[in-house]
Coordinates of all heavy atoms in Angstrom, one line a residue:
F1264 N -42.8 -48.4 -42.9 CA -41.6 -47.7 -43.1 C -40.8 -47.5 -41.8 O -39.9 -46.6 -41.7 CB -41.8 -46.3 -43.7 CG -42.8 -46.4 -44.9 CD1 -44.0 -45.7 -44.9 CD2 -42.4 -47.1 -46.0 CE1 -44.8 -45.7 -46.0 CE2 -43.3 -47.1 -47.1 CZ -44.5 -46.5 -47.1
A1265 N -41.0 -48.3 -40.9 CA -40.3 -48.3 -39.6 C -38.8 -48.3 -39.8 O -38.3 -49.1 -40.5 CB -40.7 -49.4 -38.7
G1266 N -38.2 -47.3 -39.2 CA -36.7 -47.2 -39.3 C -36.3 -46.1 -40.3 O -35.1 -45.7 -40.3
T1267 N -37.2 -45.6 -41.1 CA -37.0 -44.4 -42.0 C -37.8 -43.3 -41.5 O -39.0 -43.3 -41.7 CB -37.3 -44.8 -43.4 OG1 -36.5 -46.0 -43.8 CG2 -36.9 -43.7 -44.4
A1268 N -37.2 -42.3 -41.0 CA -37.9 -41.2 -40.4 C -38.2 -40.0 -41.3 O -38.8 -39.0 -40.8 CB -37.2 -40.7 -39.1
N1269 N -37.7 -40.0 -42.5 CA -37.8 -38.9 -43.4 C -38.8 -39.3 -44.5 O -38.6 -40.3 -45.2 CB -36.5 -38.5 -44.0 CG -36.6 -37.2 -44.8 OD1 -37.0 -37.3 -46.0 ND2 -36.2 -36.1 -44.3
M1270 N -39.9 -38.5 -44.7 CA -40.9 -38.9 -45.7 C -40.4 -38.7 -47.1 O -40.9 -39.5 -48.0 CB -42.1 -38.0 -45.5 CG -42.9 -38.3 -44.2 SD -43.3 -40.1 -44.0 CE -44.3 -40.4 -45.4
V1271 N -39.5 -37.9 -47.4 CA -38.9 -37.8 -48.8 C -38.1 -39.0 -49.0 O -38.2 -39.6 -50.1 CB -38.1 -36.5 -49.0 CG1 -37.6 -36.4 -50.4 CG2 -38.9 -35.3 -48.6
R1272 N -37.3 -39.4 -48.1 CA -36.5 -40.6 -48.3 C -37.4 -41.9 -48.4 O -37.1 -42.8 -49.1 CB -35.5 -40.8 -47.1 CG -34.4 -39.7 -47.1 CD -33.3 -40.1 -46.0 NE -32.4 -39.0 -45.9 CZ -31.3 -38.9 -46.7 NH1 -31.1 -39.7 -47.7 NH2 -30.5 -37.9 -46.5
V1273 N -38.5 -41.9 -47.6 CA -39.4 -43.0 -47.7 C -39.9 -43.1 -49.2 O -39.9 -44.2 -49.8 CB -40.6 -42.8 -46.8 CG1 -41.8 -43.6 -47.2 CG2 -40.3 -43.1 -45.4
L1274 N -40.3 -42.0 -49.8 CA -40.9 -42.1 -51.1 C -39.9 -42.5 -52.2 O -40.2 -43.2 -53.1 CB -41.5 -40.7 -51.5 CG -42.8 -40.4 -50.8 CD1 -43.2 -38.9 -51.1 CD2 -43.9 -41.3 -51.3
F1275 N -38.6 -42.0 -52.0 CA -37.6 -42.3 -53.1 C -36.7 -43.4 -52.8 O -36.0 -43.9 -53.7 CB -36.9 -41.0 -53.4 CG -37.7 -40.0 -54.1 CD1 -38.3 -38.9 -53.3 CD2 -37.9 -40.0 -55.4 CE1 -39.1 -38.0 -54.0 CE2 -38.7 -39.0 -56.1 CZ -39.3 -38.0 -55.3
E1276 N -36.6 -43.9 -51.6 CA -35.6 -44.9 -51.2 C -36.2 -46.2 -50.7 O -35.6 -47.3 -50.8 CB -34.6 -44.4 -50.2 CG -33.7 -43.2 -50.8 CD -32.7 -42.7 -49.8 OE1 -32.9 -42.8 -48.6 OE2 -31.6 -42.3 -50.3
H1277 N -37.4 -46.1 -50.1 CA -37.9 -47.3 -49.4 C -38.5 -48.3 -50.5 O -39.3 -47.8 -51.4 CB -39.0 -46.9 -48.4 CG -39.2 -48.0 -47.4 ND1 -39.9 -49.2 -47.7 CD2 -38.8 -48.1 -46.1 CE1 -40.0 -49.9 -46.6 NE2 -39.3 -49.3 -45.6
P1278 N -38.2 -49.6 -50.4 CA -38.7 -50.5 -51.4 C -40.2 -50.7 -51.4 O -40.8 -51.1 -52.4 CB -38.0 -51.8 -51.0 CG -37.6 -51.7 -49.6 CD -37.3 -50.2 -49.4
Q1279 N -40.9 -50.3 -50.3 CA -42.4 -50.5 -50.3 C -43.1 -49.2 -50.7 O -44.4 -49.3 -50.8 CB -42.8 -51.0 -48.9 CG -42.4 -52.3 -48.5 CD -43.2 -52.8 -47.3 OE1 -44.4 -53.0 -47.4 NE2 -42.5 -53.0 -46.2
A1280 N -42.4 -48.2 -51.0 CA -43.1 -46.9 -51.2 C -44.2 -47.0 -52.3 O -45.3 -46.5 -52.2 CB -42.1 -45.8 -51.5
R1281 N -43.8 -47.5 -53.5 CA -44.7 -47.5 -54.6 C -45.9 -48.4 -54.4 O -47.0 -48.2 -55.0 CB -44.0 -47.9 -55.9 CG -43.0 -46.9 -56.4 CD -42.2 -47.4 -57.6 NE -41.2 -46.4 -57.9 CZ -41.2 -45.5 -58.9 NH1 -42.4 -45.5 -59.6 NH2 -40.2 -44.8 -59.2
S1282 N -45.8 -49.5 -53.6 CA -46.9 -50.3 -53.3 C -47.8 -49.7 -52.2 O -49.1 -49.9 -52.3 CB -46.5 -51.7 -52.9 OG -45.7 -51.7 -51.8
V1283 N -47.3 -49.1 -51.2 CA -48.1 -48.5 -50.2 C -48.8 -47.2 -50.7 O -49.9 -46.9 -50.3 CB -47.2 -48.2 -49.0 CG1 -48.0 -47.4 -47.9 CG2 -46.6 -49.5 -48.3
F1284 N -48.1 -46.5 -51.6 CA -48.7 -45.3 -52.1 C -49.0 -45.5 -53.6 O -48.2 -45.2 -54.5 CB -47.8 -44.1 -51.9 CG -47.5 -43.7 -50.5 CD1 -46.2 -43.9 -50.0 CD2 -48.5 -43.3 -49.6 CE1 -45.9 -43.6 -48.7 CE2 -48.2 -43.0 -48.3 CZ -46.9 -43.2 -47.8
P1285 N -50.2 -45.9 -53.9 CA -50.5 -46.2 -55.4 C -50.5 -44.9 -56.2 O -50.4 -45.0 -57.5 CB -51.9 -46.8 -55.3 CG -52.5 -46.5 -54.0 CD -51.3 -46.3 -53.1
D1286 N -50.7 -43.8 -55.6 CA -50.7 -42.5 -56.4 C -49.3 -41.9 -56.3 O -49.1 -40.7 -56.2 CB -51.7 -41.5 -56.0 CG -51.7 -41.2 -54.5 OD1 -50.9 -41.9 -53.7 OD2 -52.4 -40.3 -54.0
W1287 N -48.2 -42.7 -56.3 CA -46.8 -42.3 -56.0 C -46.4 -41.2 -56.9 O -45.8 -40.2 -56.5 CB -45.9 -43.5 -56.2 CG -44.5 -43.3 -55.9 CD1 -43.9 -43.4 -54.7 CD2 -43.4 -42.9 -56.8 NE1 -42.5 -43.1 -54.7 CE2 -42.2 -42.8 -56.0 CE3 -43.4 -42.6 -58.1 CZ2 -41.0 -42.4 -56.6 CZ3 -42.2 -42.2 -58.7 CH2 -41.0 -42.1 -57.9
P1288 N -46.7 -41.2 -58.3 CA -46.2 -40.1 -59.1 C -46.7 -38.7 -58.7 O -45.9 -37.7 -58.5 CB -46.7 -40.4 -60.5 CG -46.8 -41.9 -60.5 CD -47.3 -42.2 -59.1
A1289 N -48.0 -38.6 -58.4 CA -48.6 -37.3 -57.9 C -48.1 -36.9 -56.6 O -47.8 -35.8 -56.3 CB -50.1 -37.4 -58.0
L1290 N -47.9 -37.9 -55.7 CA -47.5 -37.6 -54.3 C -46.1 -37.1 -54.3 O -45.7 -36.2 -53.6 CB -47.6 -38.9 -53.5 CG -47.3 -38.8 -52.0 CD1 -48.2 -37.8 -51.3 CD2 -47.5 -40.2 -51.4
T1291 N -45.2 -37.7 -55.1 CA -43.8 -37.3 -55.1 C -43.6 -35.9 -55.6 O -42.8 -35.2 -55.1 CB -42.9 -38.3 -56.0 OG1 -43.5 -38.4 -57.3 CG2 -42.8 -39.6 -55.4
E1292 N -44.5 -35.5 -56.5 CA -44.4 -34.1 -57.0 C -44.6 -33.1 -55.8 O -43.9 -32.2 -55.6 CB -45.4 -33.8 -58.1 CG -45.0 -34.4 -59.4 CD -45.9 -33.9 -60.5 OE1 -46.6 -32.9 -60.3 OE2 -45.8 -34.6 -61.6
N1293 N -45.7 -33.4 -55.1 CA -46.0 -32.5 -53.9 C -44.9 -32.5 -52.9 O -44.6 -31.5 -52.3 CB -47.3 -32.9 -53.3 CG -48.5 -32.6 -54.1 OD1 -48.5 -31.6 -54.9 ND2 -49.6 -33.4 -54.1
V1294 N -44.4 -33.7 -52.7 CA -43.4 -33.8 -51.6 C -42.0 -33.3 -52.0 O -41.2 -33.0 -51.1 CB -43.3 -35.3 -51.1 CG1 -42.2 -35.6 -50.2 CG2 -44.6 -35.7 -50.4
V1295 N -41.7 -33.1 -53.3 CA -40.5 -32.5 -53.7 C -40.7 -30.9 -53.8 O -39.8 -30.2 -53.4 CB -40.0 -33.0 -55.0 CG1 -38.8 -32.2 -55.5 CG2 -39.6 -34.5 -54.8
H1296 N -41.8 -30.5 -54.2 CA -42.0 -29.1 -54.4 C -42.0 -28.3 -53.0 O -41.5 -27.2 -52.9 CB -43.4 -28.8 -55.0 CG -43.5 -29.3 -56.4 ND1 -44.7 -29.4 -57.1 CD2 -42.5 -29.8 -57.3 CE1 -44.4 -29.9 -58.3 NE2 -43.1 -30.2 -58.4
A1297 N -42.5 -29.0 -51.9 CA -42.5 -28.4 -50.6 C -41.1 -28.2 -50.0 O -40.8 -27.1 -49.5 CB -43.4 -29.1 -49.7
P1298 N -40.2 -29.2 -50.0 CA -38.9 -29.0 -49.5 C -38.1 -28.0 -50.4 O -37.2 -27.3 -49.8 CB -38.2 -30.4 -49.6 CG -39.4 -31.3 -49.5 CD -40.5 -30.7 -50.2
R1299 N -38.4 -27.9 -51.7 CA -37.7 -26.9 -52.5 C -38.1 -25.5 -52.0 O -37.3 -24.6 -51.9 CB -38.0 -27.1 -54.0 CG -37.4 -26.0 -54.8 CD -37.5 -26.2 -56.3 NE -36.3 -26.9 -56.8 CZ -35.1 -26.3 -56.9 NH1 -34.9 -25.1 -56.4 NH2 -34.0 -26.9 -57.4
L1300 N -39.4 -25.3 -51.6 CA -39.8 -24.1 -51.0 C -39.1 -23.8 -49.7 O -38.6 -22.7 -49.5 CB -41.4 -24.1 -50.8 CG -42.0 -22.9 -50.2 CD1 -41.9 -21.7 -51.2 CD2 -43.5 -23.1 -49.9
N1301 N -39.0 -24.9 -48.9 CA -38.4 -24.7 -47.6 C -36.9 -24.4 -47.7 O -36.3 -23.7 -46.9 CB -38.5 -26.0 -46.8 CG -40.0 -26.2 -46.3 OD1 -40.8 -25.2 -46.3 ND2 -40.3 -27.4 -45.8
A1302 N -36.3 -24.9 -48.8 CA -34.8 -24.7 -49.0 C -34.6 -23.2 -49.3 O -33.5 -22.6 -48.9 CB -34.3 -25.5 -50.2
G1303 N -35.6 -22.5 -49.9 CA -35.5 -21.1 -50.0 C -35.7 -20.3 -48.8 O -35.1 -19.3 -48.5
I1304 N -36.6 -20.8 -47.9 CA -36.9 -20.1 -46.7 C -35.8 -20.3 -45.6 O -35.5 -19.4 -44.9 CB -38.3 -20.7 -46.1 CG1 -39.4 -20.4 -47.1 CG2 -38.6 -20.0 -44.7 CD1 -40.7 -21.1 -46.7
F1305 N -35.2 -21.5 -45.6 CA -34.2 -21.9 -44.7 C -32.9 -22.3 -45.4 O -32.5 -23.5 -45.4 CB -34.6 -23.0 -43.8 CG -36.0 -22.8 -43.1 CD1 -37.1 -23.4 -43.5 CD2 -36.1 -21.9 -42.0 CE1 -38.3 -23.2 -42.9 CE2 -37.3 -21.7 -41.4 CZ -38.4 -22.3 -41.9
P1306 N -32.2 -21.4 -46.1 CA -31.1 -21.7 -46.9 C -29.9 -22.3 -46.1 O -29.0 -23.0 -46.7 CB -30.7 -20.4 -47.5 CG -31.2 -19.3 -46.6 CD -32.5 -19.9 -46.1
D1307 N -29.9 -22.1 -44.8 CA -28.8 -22.7 -44.0 C -29.1 -24.0 -43.3 O -28.3 -24.5 -42.5 CB -28.3 -21.7 -42.9 CG -27.8 -20.4 -43.6 OD1 -27.1 -20.5 -44.6 OD2 -28.0 -19.3 -43.0
D1308 N -30.3 -24.6 -43.6 CA -30.7 -25.8 -43.0 C -29.9 -27.0 -43.5 O -30.0 -27.4 -44.6 CB -32.2 -26.0 -43.2 CG -32.8 -27.1 -42.4 OD1 -32.3 -28.3 -42.5 OD2 -33.7 -26.9 -41.6
E1309 N -29.1 -27.5 -42.6 CA -28.1 -28.6 -43.0 C -28.9 -29.9 -43.4 O -28.4 -30.6 -44.2 CB -27.1 -28.8 -41.9 CG -26.2 -27.6 -41.7 CD -25.2 -27.8 -40.5 OE1 -25.3 -28.8 -39.8 OE2 -24.4 -26.9 -40.3
Q1310 N -30.0 -30.1 -42.7 CA -30.8 -31.3 -43.0 C -31.3 -31.3 -44.4 O -31.3 -32.3 -45.2 CB -31.9 -31.5 -42.0 CG -31.5 -32.0 -40.7 CD -32.6 -32.5 -39.8 OE1 -33.7 -31.9 -39.9 NE2 -32.4 -33.5 -39.0
I1311 N -31.8 -30.1 -44.8 CA -32.4 -30.0 -46.2 C -31.2 -30.1 -47.2 O -31.3 -30.9 -48.2 CB -33.1 -28.6 -46.4 CG1 -34.3 -28.5 -45.5 CG2 -33.5 -28.5 -47.9 CD1 -35.0 -27.2 -45.6
Q1312 N -30.1 -29.5 -46.9 CA -28.9 -29.6 -47.8 C -28.5 -31.0 -48.0 O -28.2 -31.5 -49.1 CB -27.8 -28.7 -47.3 CG -28.1 -27.2 -47.4 CD -27.0 -26.4 -46.7 OE1 -26.0 -26.9 -46.2 NE2 -27.2 -25.1 -46.7
A1313 N -28.4 -31.8 -46.9 CA -27.9 -33.2 -46.9 C -28.9 -34.0 -47.7 O -28.5 -34.9 -48.5 CB -27.7 -33.7 -45.5
L1314 N -30.2 -33.8 -47.4 CA -31.2 -34.6 -48.1 C -31.2 -34.4 -49.6 O -31.2 -35.4 -50.3 CB -32.6 -34.1 -47.5 CG -33.8 -34.8 -48.2 CD1 -34.0 -36.2 -47.8 CD2 -35.1 -34.0 -47.8
V1315 N -31.1 -33.1 -50.0 CA -31.1 -32.8 -51.4 C -29.8 -33.4 -52.1 O -29.9 -34.0 -53.2 CB -31.2 -31.3 -51.7 CG1 -30.9 -31.0 -53.1 CG2 -32.5 -30.8 -51.2
A1316 N -28.7 -33.2 -51.5 CA -27.4 -33.8 -52.0 C -27.5 -35.3 -52.2 O -27.1 -35.8 -53.2 CB -26.3 -33.4 -51.2
D1317 N -28.0 -36.0 -51.2 CA -28.0 -37.4 -51.2 C -29.0 -37.9 -52.3 O -28.6 -38.8 -53.1 CB -28.5 -38.0 -49.9 CG -27.5 -37.9 -48.8 OD1 -26.3 -37.5 -49.1 OD2 -27.8 -38.1 -47.6
L1318 N -30.2 -37.3 -52.4 CA -31.2 -37.9 -53.3 C -30.9 -37.4 -54.7 O -31.3 -38.2 -55.7 CB -32.6 -37.4 -52.8 CG -33.1 -38.1 -51.6 CD1 -34.5 -37.7 -51.2 CD2 -33.1 -39.7 -51.7
R1319 N -30.3 -36.3 -54.9 CA -30.0 -35.9 -56.3 C -28.9 -36.9 -56.9 O -28.9 -37.2 -58.1 CB -29.4 -34.5 -56.3 CG -30.4 -33.4 -56.2 CD -29.8 -32.0 -56.3 NE -29.4 -31.7 -57.6 CZ -28.9 -30.5 -58.0 NH1 -28.7 -29.6 -57.1 NH2 -28.6 -30.3 -59.3
E1320 N -28.1 -37.4 -56.0 CA -27.1 -38.4 -56.4 C -27.7 -39.8 -56.6 O -27.4 -40.5 -57.5 CB -26.0 -38.5 -55.3 CG -24.8 -39.3 -55.7 CD -23.9 -38.7 -56.8 OE1 -24.0 -37.4 -57.0 OE2 -23.3 -39.4 -57.6

Side-chain angles (χ1 to χ4, degrees):
F1264 311 118
T1267 305
N1269 184 283
M1270 291 307 300
V1271 184
R1272 293 188 186 276
V1273 162
L1274 284 173
F1275 290 96
E1276 295 184 331
H1277 201 283
Q1279 292 194 65
R1281 290 176 186 261
S1282 59
V1283 172
F1284 299 114
D1286 55 350
W1287 187 88
L1290 184 59
T1291 52
E1292 286 190 15
N1293 287 329
V1294 170
V1295 173
H1296 297 168
R1299 177 169 266 292
L1300 180 66
N1301 290 345
I1304 299 172
F1305 307 107
D1307 298 324
D1308 191 301
E1309 294 175 358
Q1310 284 190 328
I1311 296 176
Q1312 293 175 359
L1314 175 72
V1315 172
D1317 288 351
L1318 289 180
R1319 287 183 71 178
E1320 187 72 25

